[in-house]
Every structure is written in C-alpha cells, then in structure tokens.
Amino acid sequence: MSDYAIVKTGGKQYRISPGDTIDVEKLPVDEGSRVELGEVFLTSLGDKVTVGRPMVEGAKVVATVTANGKGKKLIIFKYKRKVRYRRRTGHRQPYTRLTIEEIITPDGTAKVEVKPKKAAKPSRAEAPKAEKAIVSPAIKAEGVEEVQPKKAAKPRKAKAPKVEEAIVTPVGGVEEIAEVKPAEVEKPMAKPKKAPKAKPASKRVMRRPQARKTRKAQPTKRQPKKKKEQGD
C-alpha cells in the first residue's frame, strides 16, 4: 500500500503522496522555495494508519513551490428582466502549484523514490551490405560456395548518321559517285490568317415615339325639359 496523508490548506483538504503535484489556494511564497504544511489529519506509512484528533501531532508535509499562476477564466453574468439590466464580468482564481517531497511523522518518514536511469544502449554501426554469391551447380553439390565477379558493362556504340542515296554521274566514260548531303526538309508554309468578316449593319430602324392617343370625353347632350301644358 502506498504512503499518503491528508492535509489542509486554504480551507480545503487534499490527499497527497510523495511525488504528487497539486494546485492549492495562493500562498505568499516565491517559486523554488520550500513550504511545510502542518495541518495533517491522517497519515499512512506502510501498514500503519494514524488518525489525528483532530490533527496528528508532530506530523508535517514538505513541498516545493513549482509555480504561481491563475486558473481558467470564469464568466459572471447578472440579468434582470424588464429593466434592461445586464452585467458581465470575468474572474481568474490565483493558485500555487506544489510538488510533494516527503511526509514526516513521529513513526517515520516517507520520501520520493528516485528510480535509477537505465543505461543507454550503444548504437550499432551499420555493416556494409555484402553482394549475393552466385553458386554453380557442380560446386553447390559439394557444399562450397563460389563467388563470381560481376561482368563489366559494354560501351554503347554511337549510331551512324543516315545518308541519302548517292547520284551516279558519268565523267569520261567512268562512273563516279558524288558526295550527297542530306536534303533539307522544306517546312510547310504557314496558312495566312483569314481576315475577320465584317458584321452586317443591323436592319433595325429607329422610329420616333408616337403620341399616345387619348380618348376625348364627349360632351353630354342635355335634353330640354318639356313644358307643362296649361289646361283650358
């Protein structure tokens, strides 16, 4: 069973063992300094467990300050409806990071076990790769290997240039062969580019806008009123 203890710091309790790293409430100490935590409620060394009433007398925990910093940001948002009340603030809790070195009790001390480092293995130098041996069937039957050297590569022959057929010209009854140079290949003439065709003029004729015909209101004819005939 591993050795451990329960200590109190910053109003909180922590279960620690030698070699552990914990974050506690900020302490007024600098990085690299040593700190002793005296409020120990319980210790366990080997098979012996000691419970304090309320604390174990003469017990303490020694730790080293690794860093002082701040935690993750927390958002505090206040809201009241119907009155346009909004408040948003942030908070980062400061902390001190401790590394536990040893637990000291009247019965004994528990320290961090330092494991010896393993020795580095010597690097093996890469051996040059040997060429594969070629074994003849006669020697292979006897159980002896024969290494044959590789054949040297043959030099490549340069290709002779192609010559056109010679033209025979009789001179004084004797046929002679005249030297003929390779005929130059005539390159095809590039086709002349065609001139772009002119676009025909548009046949659209602009017309003057005609005045819109409006229907004139015809005057209403009033019929004359009939006169009442007077009685005899």
Side-chain angles (χ1 to χ4, degrees):
M1 192 174 183
S2 62
D3 302 333
Y4 67 93
I6 295 175
V7 296
K8 180 182 178 182
T9 175
K12 300 175 184 179
Q13 296 182 10
Y14 302 90
R15 184 185 186 277
I16 57 172
S17 296
D20 291 351
T21 301
I22 57 173
D23 294 343
V24 300
E25 295 297 326
K26 189 175 181 181
L27 301 174
V29 290
D30 298 331
E31 293 183 12
S33 58
R34 299 187 73 183
V35 179
E36 292 184 357
L37 306 177
E39 297 183 3
V40 182
F41 293 103
L42 183 143
T43 59
S44 174
L45 299 178
D47 297 335
K48 189 174 182 179
V49 178
T50 306
V51 181
R53 296 182 181 180
M55 289 178 283
V56 179
E57 295 181 1
K60 61 181 179 180
V61 176
V62 180
T64 303
V65 178
T66 306
N68 288 320
K70 292 182 179 181
K72 293 182 179 181
K73 182 178 282 189
L74 303 176
I75 303 300
I76 298 95
F77 188 79
K78 297 180 181 179
Y79 165 79
K80 293 180 182 179
R81 62 177 186 173
K82 298 182 182 180
V83 291
R84 296 184 180 179
Y85 180 86
R86 310 284 189 278
R87 298 292 182 273
R88 184 180 183 275
T89 55
H91 173 73
R92 294 182 68 185
Q93 184 70 14
Y95 68 86
T96 299
R97 185 164 292 168
L98 302 176
T99 301
I100 309 303
E101 291 185 356
E102 56 183 349
I103 301 170
I104 301 172
T105 63
D107 300 329
T109 304
K111 295 184 178 181
V112 180
E113 295 180 0
V114 180
K115 296 181 180 180
K117 293 183 178 180
K118 294 181 180 180
K121 294 181 179 180
S123 59
R124 296 180 181 178
E126 293 183 359
K129 294 182 179 180
E131 295 182 354
K132 292 183 178 181
I134 302 170
V135 183
S136 61
I139 298 173
K140 193 173 182 181
E142 297 178 3
V144 181
E145 294 184 355
E146 179 187 0
V147 180
Q148 296 180 0
K150 289 185 177 180
K151 294 180 180 179
K154 294 181 180 180
R156 294 182 179 179
K157 294 181 180 179
K159 293 182 179 180
K162 294 182 179 180
V163 182
E164 292 186 357
E165 295 180 357
I167 303 170
V168 180
T169 56
V171 178
V174 181
E175 294 183 354
E176 294 182 359
I177 299 174
E179 294 181 0
V180 179
K181 295 181 180 180
E184 295 182 357
V185 180
E186 294 183 358
K187 295 182 180 179
M189 295 292 290
K191 294 181 180 180
K193 293 183 179 180
K194 294 181 179 180
K197 294 181 179 180
K199 293 183 179 180
S202 59
K203 296 180 180 180
R204 188 176 178 183
V205 180
M206 298 297 293
R207 296 180 181 179
R208 293 182 180 180
Q210 296 179 356
R212 190 175 179 182
K213 295 180 179 180
T214 56
R215 188 175 181 182
K216 295 182 180 179
Q218 295 179 359
T220 55
K221 294 181 179 180
R222 293 183 180 179
Q223 295 180 358
K225 292 182 179 180
K226 294 180 179 181
K227 293 182 180 181
K228 293 181 180 181
E229 296 178 359
Q230 295 180 1
D232 294 339

